[in-house]
């Protein structure tokens, strides 16, 4: 089986517990205004890799995973677009005793029972708690991601929830209160992380010659983001 990979990052420290290798899969159905990886949108731009080839690379890092409580995180793009490939990779990794993590926005319709059966942890990218706000921010539908989220809830998989805080869009107290209410109804939540919007993807839009929706939006003040974290998600 073949999948399309954007890149593979070794020794990652922010995409799940411990030292991790992060596999960034190519392709994404959303067009988030704050996206800093527009180069992952189109599936055809990825590098074709077989399950066996990729897993061989990932298993080499097992000593680092074992000593740190780490593992492999499948991110994107949106990994659910290549669910069969990710499932096959995870099954092979589990055979080697490696912890698996799925970093997803849940923005794909489907039955993900097999994939979730191989997933130890989900990093759930919570874009927006309101259907209208979600669509304005991502051009997608909140109902789709909630369909995936319900499957994850039924499977009882631990969640680390992450939310990007964008100046003038998702940084207000009313928004945070709404987000808090949305998250409080969920089960198996181990952590909530507010991530400050940054401008590291600015050059990518220029290189791809595509418009950048938030080109004039400044980076989120980290102190303010930390304050919101403490106030709403201690």
């Amino acid at each position: 089986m073949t999948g399309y990979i954007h890149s593979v990052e070794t020794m990652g420290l922010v995409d799940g517990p411990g030292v991790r290798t992060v596999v960034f899969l190519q392709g994404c159905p959303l067009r988030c205004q704050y996206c800093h990886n527009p180069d992952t949108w189109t599936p055809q731009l990825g590098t074709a890799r077989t399950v066996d080839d990729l897993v061989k690379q990932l298993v080499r890092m097992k000593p680092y995973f074992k000593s740190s409580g780490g593992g492999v995180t499948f991110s994107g793009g949106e990994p659910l677009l290549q669910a069969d490939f990710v499932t096959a990779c995870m099954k092979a990794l589990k055979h080697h005793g490696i912890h698996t993590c799925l970093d997803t926005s849940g923005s794909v319709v489907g039955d993900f029972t097999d994939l979730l059966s191989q997933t130890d942890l989900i990093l759930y990218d919570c874009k927006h708690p309101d259907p209208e706000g979600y669509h304005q921010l991502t051009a997608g539908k909140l109902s789709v991601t909630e369909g995936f989220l319900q499957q994850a809830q039924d499977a009882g998989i631990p969640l680390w929830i992450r939310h990007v805080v964008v100046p003038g869009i998702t940084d207000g107290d009313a928004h945070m209160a709404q987000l808090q209410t949305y998250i409080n109804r969920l089960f198996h939540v181990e952590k909530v992380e507010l991530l400050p919007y940054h401008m590291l993807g600015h050059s990518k839009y220029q290189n791809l010659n595509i418009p950048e929706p938030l080109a004039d939006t400044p980076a989120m003040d980290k102190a303010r983001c930390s304050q919101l974290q403490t106030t709403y998600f201690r």
Side-chain angles (χ1 to χ4, degrees), residues 20 51 55 58 70-74 80 82-103 111-123 148 151-152 155-158:
R20 309 193 70 80
V51 172
V55 169
L58 300 174
V72 176
T73 298
F74 291 88
L80 295 184
Q82 301 187 59
D84 291 343
F85 177 78
V86 175
T87 301
C89 290
M90 282 190 172
K91 284 182 178 178
L93 293 170
K94 298 291 282 183
H95 178 75
H96 289 278
I98 295 175
H99 182 276
T100 59
C101 178
L102 184 69
D103 181 2
D111 181 350
F112 300 105
T113 303
D114 287 347
L115 174 58
L116 293 173
S117 71
Q118 304 300 318
T119 303
D120 293 316
L121 173 68
I122 293 174
L123 303 184
F148 167 80
Q151 293 182 55
I157 300 174

Side-chain angles (χ1 to χ4, degrees), residues 21-175:
T21 294
V22 185
V23 180
F24 294 93
L25 290 110
Q26 193 74 19
C28 185
L30 300 181
R31 294 296 180 266
C32 299
Q33 291 186 28
Y34 55 74
C35 181
H36 60 275
N37 288 318
D39 48 330
T40 66
W41 290 349
T42 307
Q44 293 81 358
L45 296 180
T47 300
R49 300 283 300 271
T50 66
V51 172
D52 289 345
D53 175 51
L54 180 60
V55 169
K56 284 180 182 178
Q57 177 185 358
L58 300 174
V59 169
R60 293 192 202 110
M61 297 294 294
K62 186 176 178 180
Y64 297 97
F65 303 152
K66 187 174 181 180
S67 63
S68 69
V72 176
T73 298
F74 291 88
S75 186
E78 174 49 65
L80 295 184
L81 285 177
Q82 301 187 59
D84 291 343
F85 177 78
V86 175
T87 301
C89 290
M90 282 190 172
K91 284 182 178 178
L93 293 170
K94 298 291 282 183
H95 178 75
H96 289 278
I98 295 175
H99 182 276
T100 59
C101 178
L102 184 69
D103 181 2
T104 178
S105 65
S107 54
V108 178
V109 175
D111 181 350
F112 300 105
T113 303
D114 287 347
L115 174 58
L116 293 173
S117 71
Q118 304 300 318
T119 303
D120 293 316
L121 173 68
I122 293 174
L123 303 184
Y124 176 57
D125 185 2
C126 185
K127 305 291 187 181
H128 201 288
D130 172 74
E132 183 178 350
Y134 185 96
H135 181 70
Q136 290 177 350
L137 191 62
T138 70
K141 294 182 178 180
L142 181 59
S143 59
V144 172
T145 192
E146 288 189 325
F148 167 80
L149 188 57
Q150 186 59 58
Q151 293 182 55
Q153 293 278 275
D154 292 343
I157 300 174
L159 297 175
W160 288 12
I161 297 179
R162 306 204 286 189
H163 181 74
V164 178
V165 183
V166 184
I169 300 178
T170 60
D171 63 335
D173 285 295
H175 173 84

Side-chain angles (χ1 to χ4, degrees), residues 17 99 120-122 156-161 183 186-193 234:
H99 182 276
D120 293 316
L121 173 68
I122 293 174
I157 300 174
L159 297 175
W160 288 12
I161 297 179
I183 292 174
L186 301 175
F187 300 100
H188 318 300
V189 177
E190 294 186 345
K191 181 187 294 189
V192 179
E193 296 179 293
R234 284 183 286 185

